[in-house]
Amino acid sequence: MSQPPAADGAHRLVSSPAGRTHLVEQGSGPLVLLLHGFPESWYAWRHQLPALAAAGYRAVAIDVRGYGRSSKPDGVEAYRMLDLVSDNVAVVEALGERSAVIVGHDWGATIAATSALVRPEVFRAVGLLSVPYTPPGGPRPSEVFAQMGGTDEFYVSYFQQPGRAEAEIEPDVRGWLAGFFAALSADTMPSPGAPDPHFVSRDGMLRDRFPAGRLPAWLSEHELDVYAGEFERTGMAGALNRYRNMDRDWEDLAAFESAPITQPSLFIGGSLDSSTTWLANAITEYPTTLPALAASHILEGCGHFIQQERPRETNQILTDWLTALAP
């Protein structure tokens, strides 16, 4: 089976509740599990795998279920948050480990946080990139999203109906991904005052507001080809089904309402990343919600794709934090 390239990384398939989970592994030492976001794959961590390995860690980046070489179970409900947590636990066990540090970006940050929350005996520390930790609870997510945007529709609401976003994306996966990555990256995002690419005009498409004609500096044509090639092969439904379970997750995690994560933690956000700035209040609540937080870093002039836009800074922050953790 052909694989996308990873510098000195070993590709493996391991058994998990999803069926199988594909991972790329590099280095030896304490296990660090890396979770990507939307619309990405293990490849989002290509700059971190060698850096963490060189620092003395066993760095493992997975394809979350529904993505890449990992299994894609049928049915929207197969992508509930607790199912993804179970996949992560299975990966740790399949690698012969009892515990891991877990680090995630975008949706991966929320999956990592939930994994640490519900399985603290497995995940001894948690690093979050882009999306701050917000404890379970509060209003039902679909009701919150429905109230956003006025006459426009918030992208999470747009993603809810199976097949709707797929019909926009799949006829031109590469072009759509190029626009999406550009829309949320610091050097190519729309200027202040331009229509917000997180919202869809009534009867429009999300891509209507994407920048066109230029890739962000962090993304080469080859790297875009790697991402596009995976989604051309798999389709988009598995990735989008994560968004379609937010109300189910809200119900499933009711027992953890307002619960803090007490393990050592780290946050890295971008000053130009809406995922960070919209949730600024969550960051101010970290003394309560992340009482063992080591540091909260906001990278000035950085957009959403933090570890790819600013790999050197991200690698340094991660390795410094990991070094400071008790073994």
Side-chain angles (χ1 to χ4, degrees):
M1 178 171 58
S2 64
Q3 301 285 5
D8 301 321
H11 291 257
R12 293 177 59 184
L13 294 172
V14 300
S15 296
S16 68
R20 67 171 186 262
T21 294
H22 169 246
L23 59 86
V24 180
E25 177 180 3
Q26 193 166 348
S28 61
L31 176 60
V32 181
L33 188 64
L34 304 168
L35 309 180
H36 65 82
F38 176 90
E40 300 171 292
S41 70
W42 72 267
Y43 193 65
W45 299 102
R46 62 196 176 280
H47 303 298
Q48 284 67 52
L49 287 166
L52 295 180
Y57 297 94
R58 186 182 188 185
V60 174
I62 71 168
D63 282 333
V64 174
R65 76 163 63 188
Y67 287 83
R69 311 284 162 153
S70 292
S71 292
K72 298 152 196 66
D74 293 333
V76 171
E77 292 189 14
Y79 296 84
R80 300 166 96 108
M81 182 64 71
L82 291 180
D83 290 328
L84 303 181
V85 171
S86 296
D87 290 343
N88 296 335
V89 172
V91 168
V92 173
E93 294 175 349
L95 293 172
E97 303 284 357
R98 298 182 63 182
S99 67
V101 175
I102 191 167
V103 179
H105 168 255
D106 183 74
W107 259 123
T110 305
I111 300 167
T114 309
S115 298
L117 179 66
V118 305
R119 295 300 303 268
E121 77 284 6
V122 177
F123 300 105
R124 63 186 182 92
V126 59
L128 310 176
L129 278 63
S130 180
V131 178
Y133 174 59
T134 55
R140 183 179 291 272
S142 60
E143 296 173 357
V144 174
F145 301 138
Q147 295 171 7
M148 298 176 65
T151 58
D152 292 336
E153 185 178 16
F154 191 47
Y155 78 101
V156 178
S157 298
Y158 178 71
F159 284 169
Q160 291 304 303
Q161 181 183 338
R164 184 183 179 195
E166 289 92 325
E168 171 185 343
I169 302 168
E170 290 177 354
D172 178 22
V173 169
R174 193 179 192 278
W176 193 93
L177 291 175
F180 186 90
F181 290 141
L184 303 186
S185 297
D187 59 328
T188 47
M189 63 176 52
S191 59
D196 191 331
H198 295 89
F199 293 88
V200 181
S201 300
R202 297 297 174 183
D203 301 321
M205 295 189 296
L206 199 63
R207 70 184 305 156
D208 295 341
R209 300 184 179 187
F210 290 170
R214 186 160 69 100
L215 294 181
W218 62 265
L219 183 68
S220 70
E221 296 283 352
H222 167 72
E223 289 167 330
L224 177 59
D225 286 341
V226 173
Y227 282 125
E230 292 293 84
F231 288 111
E232 290 281 6
R233 183 175 54 79
T234 66
M236 297 299 300
L240 290 164
N241 281 343
R242 173 81 293 273
Y243 291 91
R244 295 164 182 160
N245 279 280
M246 297 180 76
D247 280 353
R248 295 184 183 94
D249 299 337
W250 180 78
E251 296 169 355
D252 291 344
L253 295 170
F256 294 90
E257 183 172 359
S258 302
I261 294 174
T262 58
Q263 300 96 305
S265 57
L266 172 75
F267 178 73
I268 311 173
S271 68
L272 302 179
D273 181 7
S274 295
S275 297
T276 296
T277 58
W278 285 347
L279 294 171
N281 288 341
I283 296 175
T284 65
E285 293 297 319
Y286 278 169
T288 300
T289 61
L290 294 177
L293 180 74
S296 177
H297 299 266
I298 303 296
L299 304 186
E300 289 299 321
C302 183
H304 180 66
F305 300 99
I306 291 168
Q307 76 271 33
Q308 298 175 89
E309 290 189 49
R310 305 281 273 273
R312 290 184 181 179
E313 287 173 78
T314 300
N315 293 348
Q316 189 65 58
I317 291 169
L318 286 174
T319 53
D320 287 350
W321 174 63
L322 289 166
T323 300
L325 290 174

